[in-house]
Amino acid sequence: MKLYHLLLLTFLFSCSKDVKFTNQSNTTPQIPVYIPPSQNTQTPNIHLVSSLDSISTINKTSSWYLTNRSFDELYQIRNSQFWGFQSTTNGYVSFQTNRIADYWNDLGTYIYTDLNGDGSKDLWSYYYKSPWPTNSKGLCLFTELKNGSNNFHVGLTQIRKAVVSDLDNDGKKDIVLFSHGYDKQPFPGDSIGIFYSNDLSYQYLSDEVGFFHAGAVGDINNDGLVDIVGYGVGGTAKLSTPTVYLNQGNRKFKLSKTNTINFNMNDGYMSMELYDIDSDGYLDMILGNGGMIKIIKNKNGVFDMQSAKTVQNDGMPLSFIFYDFNKDGEVDILTTNTYVYNGFNIKLYINEKENFTDQTTKYFDVTTNNSSGTWIKWVRLFDYDKDGDLDVVGDGLYGGILNNTIHWKNNKGTFNYTLN
């Protein structure tokens, strides 16, 4: 057999599944053309950024949504000129060494977004009075980063949580401030504050004083105005039930005692959000404390603790994410937890017709850190690495992860731990 025919037969047998002929004539064989298999095997991205807005109208009134949606990147205050301030006769100046600051930023207590609607990002941040803890009022900063215009305000003692909302329906982002006050005996408590970005003014709601470690904003009675709910954790204020301020319009708020029933004065929860979990058009109350999550349905604006659903949890929940991780049309719950500020974990509870099952390891590779003094204040959901899909991002890092960044990178619907 001629060498040409031998080579041709060898080629045909070895590539029989991937060969097509350009000519099937029996008289003049043609050189075969090799058609490679398709290389388009890439799985499309899952959890695109646009999916954050595919939620109900009532959930878009929640401070969880508005705050999380405000973040598309972190601001590293610790590495900036806004890390601390010294009070001088000429006003507040950035610290020059780490020994002379009168006020230090409380890590994770900041908002970095376009607050005044001018198209450029602004920074609002809170600073506790040094040394901590002290029963002295802290410092609030609002700065227009584009022009370096700073506004300072001395206000609440220890702001634990700051959330974005629009309290006066002027289309501008306001910030609601939940302060627990002096973090030491006798725990006297503090008020709830509001920062209006439109005129850079502050308002304080002090009808009730409590250790407001938790709080959220949303339209709980569906009247078109967002309301404020704070949660105390006892102290000398003896306030361990929700504090509800109903929005009356025109920056007026009324303390209400009729929107919560059957709450025990001996309770108290460290974390809280408002979000419509059961998709009935009303914002539910989600609470977190040692070893448990409570979901209390909203019945025409009323939260009844006797109807609460309990989800057993590992550690004390500090922060929540509400998102449909498995794309079945129901809201799932992701939380970051701490073992009394000595280590942390994340937990994902998949909503299966209002039964929440722990499926964390199905979606996340690294979920626990047991280092002493190490914890995460917040988890946020945004596109951290700018590849088009949503990542889970830690904000407010303490202990062994201080000075680092931490996120779980979205990898086609599962999340990979990254510490930088």
Side-chain angles (χ1 to χ4, degrees):
M1 182 180 291
K2 292 183 179 181
L3 178 60
Y4 168 83
H5 291 153
L6 179 61
L7 291 175
L8 175 58
L9 288 174
T10 302
F11 185 91
L12 291 178
F13 282 112
S14 64
C15 302
S16 59
K17 293 183 179 180
D18 299 304
V19 171
K20 294 183 180 179
F21 291 95
T22 58
N23 190 319
Q24 296 296 327
S25 170
N26 292 326
T27 58
T28 309
Q30 300 293 318
I31 300 296
V33 178
Y34 176 70
I35 308 297
S38 173
Q39 301 298 314
N40 187 22
T41 59
Q42 183 177 5
T43 304
N45 284 347
I46 298 177
H47 311 317
L48 298 178
V49 174
S50 58
S51 65
L52 285 174
D53 300 323
S54 300
I55 60 174
S56 65
T57 299
I58 193 63
N59 276 332
K60 288 182 179 179
T61 75
S62 72
S63 58
W64 180 85
Y65 166 78
L66 291 169
T67 304
N68 185 80
R69 203 67 179 95
S70 294
F71 280 85
D72 58 10
E73 62 181 320
L74 302 179
Y75 192 89
Q76 302 297 341
I77 294 182
R78 188 178 175 89
N79 300 324
S80 76
Q81 61 180 307
F82 306 115
W83 174 220
F85 288 94
Q86 182 181 18
S87 178
T88 72
T89 55
N90 294 321
Y92 297 100
V93 298
S94 298
F95 74 98
Q96 303 301 314
T97 73
N98 60 3
R99 297 181 180 179
I100 63 174
D102 297 314
Y103 297 90
W104 292 106
N105 174 250
D106 192 0
L107 291 175
T109 310
Y110 75 99
I111 301 294
Y112 177 47
T113 189
D114 180 9
L115 287 166
N116 56 16
D118 65 355
S120 299
K121 287 187 177 181
D122 310 301
L123 175 67
W124 179 94
S125 56
Y126 169 74
Y127 302 79
Y128 58 80
K129 183 71 171 63
S130 182
W132 182 91
T134 180
N135 195 16
S136 300
K137 292 182 178 180
L139 182 70
C140 296
L141 164 72
F142 170 77
T143 179
E144 295 188 71
L145 295 171
K146 68 176 182 179
N147 57 24
S149 175
N150 295 334
N151 175 273
F152 294 98
H153 177 84
V154 175
L156 299 169
T157 302
Q158 183 69 54
I159 297 173
R160 178 57 176 78
K161 187 176 183 182
V163 300
V164 174
S165 189
D166 182 2
L167 277 297
D168 52 7
N169 283 351
D170 66 350
K172 303 291 179 62
K173 294 177 180 177
D174 307 314
I175 302 176
V176 181
L177 316 170
F178 298 94
S179 173
H180 58 57
Y182 185 37
D183 200 5
K184 194 174 182 179
Q185 290 287 356
F187 300 106
D190 206 351
S191 302
I192 296 172
I194 304 169
F195 169 67
Y196 295 102
S197 62
N198 188 41
D199 55 12
L200 306 184
S201 64
Y202 286 80
Q203 178 183 5
Y204 295 100
L205 307 178
S206 303
D207 292 343
E208 284 191 343
V209 173
F211 194 92
F212 294 116
H213 197 278
V217 180
D219 186 2
I220 65 172
N221 55 5
N222 288 23
D223 66 351
L225 298 169
V226 293
D227 311 297
I228 300 173
V229 184
Y231 215 126
V233 190
T236 58
K238 303 299 181 186
L239 185 63
S240 296
T241 58
T243 294
V244 178
Y245 286 102
L246 296 180
N247 193 338
Q248 308 296 294
N250 298 316
R251 300 186 179 183
K252 295 180 180 179
F253 299 87
K254 179 183 178 181
L255 182 67
S256 172
K257 295 294 186 180
T258 60
N259 295 87
T260 58
I261 58 176
N262 295 315
F263 282 77
N264 191 328
M265 287 298 294
N266 295 321
D267 287 341
Y269 289 84
M270 300 291 283
S271 57
M272 188 196 79
E273 295 291 353
L274 296 169
Y275 204 84
D276 183 10
I277 295 292
D278 56 6
S279 300
D280 67 349
Y282 282 88
L283 294 175
D284 305 308
M285 182 182 293
I286 299 90
L287 301 171
N289 210 356
M292 71 177 68
I293 298 169
K294 295 277 189 180
I295 302 172
I296 309 171
K297 290 188 176 183
N298 181 338
K299 297 296 184 181
N300 297 316
V302 177
F303 301 99
D304 184 354
M305 180 56 103
Q306 286 188 349
S307 68
K309 182 179 184 61
T310 301
V311 179
Q312 297 300 323
N313 184 58
D314 182 11
M316 181 173 67
L318 293 179
S319 178
F320 296 106
I321 285 176
F322 303 103
Y323 187 74
D324 183 5
F325 282 88
N326 63 347
K327 298 299 182 184
D328 66 349
E330 298 191 76
V331 180
D332 308 311
I333 300 176
L334 176 72
T335 180
T336 179
N337 313 289
T338 182
Y339 308 107
V340 197
Y341 304 103
N342 287 296
F344 69 85
N345 70 68
I346 58 170
K347 287 290 180 180
L348 175 60
Y349 298 98
I350 296 296
N351 185 350
E352 298 175 331
K353 300 186 183 305
E354 298 186 41
N355 290 315
F356 292 85
T357 61
D358 181 358
Q359 297 186 27
T360 311
T361 56
K362 181 178 178 180
Y363 292 85
F364 293 84
D365 56 353
V366 177
T367 63
T368 303
N369 182 319
N370 292 314
S371 301
S372 176
T374 299
W375 56 287
I376 300 174
K377 184 179 285 187
W378 311 114
V379 281
R380 310 194 189 278
L381 188 64
F382 65 86
D383 184 8
Y384 180 84
D385 52 13
K386 307 304 179 187
D387 64 351
D389 54 21
L390 296 168
D391 307 299
V392 174
V393 186
D395 197 6
L397 310 182
Y398 291 80
I401 53 178
L402 183 68
N403 293 324
N404 292 106
T405 59
I406 185 172
H407 77 283
W408 284 263
K409 175 179 172 56
N410 191 335
N411 182 19
K412 312 291 186 230
T414 61
F415 297 84
N416 303 130
Y417 176 83
T418 305
L419 178 67
N420 297 319

